Every structure is written in structure tokens, then in C-alpha cells.
Amino acid sequence: MSESTDPAVPADQTGPAEKIAAGYAFTGPALDLGALLWDGGCLPDRQIRIPLSMLNRHGLVAGATGTGKTKTLQLIAEQLSAHGVPVFLADVKGDVSGISAPGTADPRIDERAREVAQKWEPSGYPGEFYSLGGIGPGIPVRSTVTSFGPVLMSKVLQLNQTQEQSLGLIFHYADTKGLELIDLKDLRAVVAFLVSDQGKAELKGTGGLSTVTAGVILRSLTAFEQQGAAAFFGEPEFDTSEFLRTAPDGRGVVSVLELPAVQDKPQLFSTFLMWLLADLYNDLPEVGDLERPKLVFFFDEAHLLFSGASKAFLTSITQTVRLIRSKGVGVFFVTQTPKDVPADVLAQLGNRVQHALRAFTPDDAKALKATVKTFPNSAYDLEELLTQLGTGEAVITVLSEKGAPTPVAATRLRAPQSLMAPVEPAALDRAVKSSLLWPRYAEPVDRESAYEKIGAEQAAAEAQAEAAAAAAAAGKQAGEAEKEAARAARGAPKPEPSLAEQVVGSGLFRSLARSIGTQLGREISRSVFGTARKRR
């Protein structure tokens, strides 16, 4: 297919085009995506649209780098906001912040607007800007470790299945013991405690925690912290219901998560995005099908989410995507080729916007053939068409108002009305600091949790052990002193007798004493009994 912009198409070739366009003639509210491309021409009166009520049936935006995926997100987000639907956008490269500012007219935009019958007017949309843990510009978005959970934590720590099961046991123990896992030092403290002499017995009945597995987890936590991840975990924890707000004028707020500062940590931010989605799923009530979704969530760089994912993690994603539709949330995965998304997830993505693919290598050609097989039967030669699409053009199929797939339509997309470039850093900073959410989430809070509780218990146990040891040592010392005194008493030499003792103890003194004693006794007897000594 050529990239000609000539709208003139021979009448005898409009039959298939009419059938395709008829599949997009919806009666209810819909988003305008662009004009039909057929046989090398653009048909401005054949509009390609997507029903607003089908946006919670999820979707995929795919295409090679530079084919216009980001502008497609911006275009859809603008129209959702205009219909009063809140939007969440992950801004990996930092070029989506312009959605909050009016676009700037130029000849290329004017030309595109004429080609697709678009009445283009510059317009900005209500936006909030967030950052992971305050790294980079934006309102800090934090999660507690407990809320993040063992499955997602295992993903970012790159644990194997056995280690993931052990981490689940650690989380369960902390929960039953009332040990709040708020930040990473809390998790580290619990792991270290459970392999200590004091804590080993705690998990004896449930298989225990091997020192080898604990060592792997602790080393992974250290590496994770060295990447700056500690800032993402803590309080105040972000309330994901903030993403569901509308502006005073009724338009949906576009929440932009600024990720350029952490784009070198793809495993982290992709998994964190999954936490945001899972948290929404847990908090929102069942609502069934709505006239318009409560929120549409765009998951950029989705291939990073699934890379190296465990079976448990993939099961969790699949279940979340399947069930969150009934809670009024639509999810669009944005990636390079559909094969980046697991088949069980891809099967749930009813709305498809496929930009151009390249076929420079055998792997590219294989990916192209696989992509073609994911589309319904088409009047186009999709294998050829997908390599010839220009920037801002895409192959589209969506779900009709009745939930049936629409015919495949090559489409020249409309131009976004907001700024197709980042806003100035100063303007972004002003928008962040002036938000009503900034005072609520800006400053981190470090309250008592597992780290402090375990530290206090260990300090008390150590003090008690030291006191017991000191008492035992004192008792032992006293016993030794008594024994030493007894031994000293038994082995001590007798003292030398005094001069008086020597005199009294002599034989002469004893003989004299007996003689004096006898005479004295007689004298006393006489005196006592009344006899007097005779005079000579």
C-alpha cells in the first residue's frame, strides 16, 4: 500500500471500503480515531471509531519504534478525558506531559486534519503528574511492602519458584505476627530474624526457611536497594482511587506517571505498574458493563512486564486483566509486537491498533506473520500492508457496541490537540507543587513497623540474656570465693604463742601451779569450815 494522500478513489473500488466503514457506524458515544485508508487513498467521510462502552474490554497498541504509538495514546487519552473518563498514562520517555498544554498549529497538523476531516483546535487537558517514590518530577507514589505482595516482589527480585514460595511464607509469618512490612528494611529484618538462633523455631511447623534461600533473598534485596528502589516503598502509601477523579468541568483527569528518571530500571517500573492495576482491582466494586469506563489504564513498554515472568506472576496478570473489566477499568498494553504479550492475555484484548512493523531480519519476518494471524480475516493483504504503513497510520479492529469484532480497517489517525512534546520543566514543577495531592504525599513517614519491633525484641532478649549471664557469673564468683576461703582456712599456719603463753605452758609453771593450788586449797578449806591453823 502506498502512502498517497489522494482522497480520490474510483467508485468501483469503494464496495469493500463501504463494508468496512459500515462496521464502524456506531449509534452511541464513540472516540474518533481517524479516516479509512483504501487502495492507497484516504477516505475522510469513512470514519473509524471505537465505542466508549467497549473501552473496558481492553486493548493493544503495537508497532515498531517511531511509528506513532505515543501519539495514538495521546489521541485516545484526550478524547476519553473529554468524555469524562479518567486516564492513567505511563510516560516512559517523558514526552506525554504535553497533554496538559494546548498544541501548536503547524502545516503538517493542518494537512493531517484536512485528510481525515478533523476540526483541529489546540486544547490542553486536566493532568496530574506522579513519580515513583519521588524520583524525578511528580507527586511521589509509594507502596508498602505488604501491599506490594510476595508475587510482585519475587518478580522484581528475580527469584525462582522455590525462593518465591519461601518469600510467600515470610509474608504470611509477618502478617500473623502483626509485623508490618512497610519498607525494605522491614522485610530484611524479618528474613534475618527467621534464620537467627532466636527465630529458627518460628517456622519449624511449616517447613522453615533455609539459610541458603534467605541469603539469596537478602542479596537480592541489597541489589534492589542499590538501584534506588528503597524510595518506592514506604508511607504514606498512595491511594490508587486518586486516579479516578474528574476535573471541576467534568473532564476526566489524565494521570501521568513520569518514568524517565527510572527508565533504566524496566523490571521495577513495569512491575510497579502491575501493582497499581492490582490495587485498583482489589479496591473497586463489581459494576458490570457501563456506558463509559471508570478508568482506562495505558501500560507502556508492556513487554518488560512479561520478560522473565514466573508462572505465578503470569497467572496473576491474566486473572487481573480478565476480572478488572467487570470493575469498569480498561487496560491497554503498549508494546512493539503482539507476540510480546502472552496468549492468555492477548486473547482478552478486544481493541487493536497495530502500527507499522519492520521485516528487516528473519526474526522480524516471523513476528510479522505471527501478528497477521492475530487479526480477523481481512480484505487487505495484511502482511504487505503492515510493512508499508506510514507514521501515524495503523491497522485497527475494535469491538462493536454488541461486542463483536469490527472489520479490519487501515486508518490514517487524527492528530492530538494537545502539545505533542514535553512541557517545560519549570511548568511541570509548578503543576506538581500546586496540586492538592502534593501536601498529602510529598513527605515520607517512617513509623514503627517490623524493623523497629524486631529490633526492640532482640534488644530486650539480649538485655535479659546479659542480666542472666551476669547473675550466673556473680553466683559462680561468690561460690568460688567461698571455696577459696575454706581452702585458705584449712591450709593456714598456727600463730606463734606469746611470752605469757609460753611461760604458762611450761612444765615448771604447771608444777608450781599444782603446788600453790594444793596449799591454797587447804587454806580455803580451813577458812570455810571454821578450822584455824595451829600455831607452833
Side-chain angles (χ1 to χ4, degrees):
M1 173 184 163
S2 70
E3 298 182 19
S4 169
T5 61
D6 184 2
V9 178
D12 60 350
Q13 296 184 26
T14 60
E18 290 291 346
K19 292 180 180 179
I20 294 171
Y24 294 87
F26 309 124
T27 58
L31 309 186
D32 296 313
L33 299 179
L36 180 67
L37 290 171
W38 181 257
D39 195 33
C42 182
L43 308 178
D45 58 340
R46 306 291 190 270
Q47 290 293 304
I48 304 303
R49 311 163 75 215
I50 180 172
L52 187 62
S53 60
M54 290 292 111
L55 266 298
N56 69 330
R57 300 299 181 94
H58 311 319
L60 175 73
V61 179
T65 301
T67 55
K69 296 192 299 295
T70 301
K71 300 301 177 283
T72 298
L73 303 187
Q74 198 166 339
L75 172 67
I76 296 175
E78 289 177 353
Q79 296 188 60
L80 285 168
S81 175
H83 280 87
V85 178
V87 178
F88 175 91
L89 289 173
D91 187 10
V92 177
K93 296 183 289 292
D95 50 6
V96 184
S97 60
I99 198 168
S100 63
T104 304
D106 66 36
R108 290 177 301 173
I109 291 178
D110 293 339
E111 181 183 2
R112 175 61 62 101
R114 286 193 303 270
E115 291 170 359
V116 300
Q118 177 186 10
K119 185 179 179 181
W120 189 89
E121 294 179 353
S123 177
Y125 295 83
E128 291 277 16
F129 300 95
Y130 301 95
S131 65
L132 289 184
I135 297 181
I139 299 162
V141 176
R142 301 182 185 90
S143 166
T144 64
V145 171
T146 294
S147 177
F148 206 70
V151 174
L152 291 175
M153 186 62 72
S154 296
K155 176 69 164 57
V156 294
L157 296 181
Q158 301 181 30
L159 304 181
N160 63 29
Q161 184 177 1
T162 300
Q163 294 156 359
E164 181 178 330
Q165 292 170 348
S166 295
L167 188 61
L169 186 61
I170 293 166
F171 271 70
H172 175 71
Y173 169 79
D175 185 54
T176 56
K177 295 295 184 180
L179 298 172
E180 296 91 343
L181 300 178
I182 294 176
D183 50 27
L184 292 181
K185 71 177 184 296
D186 291 325
L187 180 56
R188 178 186 295 278
V190 174
V191 175
F193 170 74
L194 290 175
V195 291
S196 67
D197 293 338
Q198 183 182 353
K200 283 181 180 178
E202 295 288 331
L203 296 180
K204 188 175 182 181
T206 53
L209 175 66
S210 74
T211 53
V212 174
T213 298
V216 170
I217 294 173
L218 290 173
R219 287 193 296 273
S220 298
L221 281 172
T222 299
F224 194 38
E225 288 172 318
Q226 288 174 346
Q227 295 178 13
F232 309 141
F233 296 95
E235 290 181 323
E237 184 174 34
F238 187 76
D239 183 354
T240 51
S241 66
E242 306 284 9
F243 296 145
L244 304 177
R245 295 181 300 124
T246 55
D249 61 4
R251 293 183 297 172
V253 172
V254 181
S255 299
V256 182
L257 182 64
E258 294 292 335
L259 295 170
V262 293
Q263 62 180 313
D264 59 336
K265 304 174 181 63
Q267 290 279 357
L268 174 64
F269 74 69
S270 63
T271 309
F272 208 91
L273 290 177
M274 193 62 220
W275 167 76
L276 294 175
L277 192 60
D279 194 70
L280 283 165
Y281 166 73
N282 289 328
D283 290 348
L284 291 175
E286 294 281 341
V287 293
D289 290 326
L290 301 172
E291 291 184 0
R292 63 184 185 185
K294 287 186 173 183
L295 172 73
V296 177
F297 192 102
F298 289 91
F299 209 129
D300 202 2
E301 301 291 342
H303 63 283
L304 300 171
L305 179 69
F306 303 108
S307 176
S310 68
K311 184 178 180 180
F313 183 73
L314 291 176
T315 299
S316 177
I317 293 176
T318 303
Q319 182 181 21
T320 301
V321 173
R322 180 185 297 118
L323 298 179
I324 203 170
R325 178 184 69 80
S326 64
K327 300 195 174 190
V329 177
V331 182
F332 274 70
F333 291 97
V334 186
T335 188
Q336 295 191 0
T337 70
K339 71 181 183 64
D340 293 333
V341 181
D344 288 344
V345 177
L346 189 63
Q348 301 177 56
L349 310 182
N351 303 301
R352 303 277 299 277
V353 180
Q354 177 66 59
H355 287 268
L357 291 174
R358 310 304 180 208
F360 300 139
T361 68
D363 286 342
D364 291 341
K366 185 177 180 180
L368 175 61
K369 291 181 180 294
T371 299
V372 170
K373 291 179 180 179
T374 65
F375 280 91
N377 292 332
S378 168
Y380 300 93
D381 180 349
L382 289 181
E383 193 167 335
E384 178 183 359
L385 175 61
L386 287 173
T387 61
Q388 296 181 359
L389 291 171
T391 301
E393 297 178 345
V395 170
I396 293 175
T397 179
V398 301
L399 294 179
S400 70
E401 292 167 311
K402 296 181 179 180
T406 59
V408 176
T411 307
R412 181 159 292 154
L413 297 165
R414 293 187 170 212
Q417 297 184 127
S418 56
L419 183 65
M420 290 187 280
V423 297
E424 291 294 326
L428 178 59
D429 187 65
R430 284 195 301 271
V432 171
K433 299 293 177 60
S434 63
S435 170
L436 297 177
L437 301 181
W438 176 255
R440 191 178 309 171
Y441 295 107
E443 292 299 323
V445 176
D446 188 12
R447 65 181 175 88
E448 183 184 59
S449 51
Y451 174 81
E452 288 80 11
K453 290 180 179 179
I454 289 176
E457 290 178 1
Q458 288 180 331
E462 290 174 2
Q464 186 176 1
E466 289 176 0
K476 182 177 180 181
Q477 186 176 4
E480 291 294 332
E482 290 179 2
K483 292 179 181 179
E484 185 64 27
R487 284 196 298 268
R490 289 193 300 269
K494 293 182 179 180
E496 290 292 328
S498 64
L499 178 60
E501 288 174 334
Q502 291 178 16
V503 171
V504 170
S506 67
L508 178 61
F509 181 83
R510 286 195 297 269
S511 176
L512 179 60
R514 282 196 298 270
S515 174
I516 295 172
T518 301
Q519 182 66 29
L520 180 61
R522 290 188 184 128
E523 291 295 327
I524 292 173
S525 297
R526 290 190 188 106
S527 171
V528 172
F529 292 108
T531 59
R533 189 174 59 177
K534 292 181 179 178
R535 292 181 180 271
R536 291 184 180 179

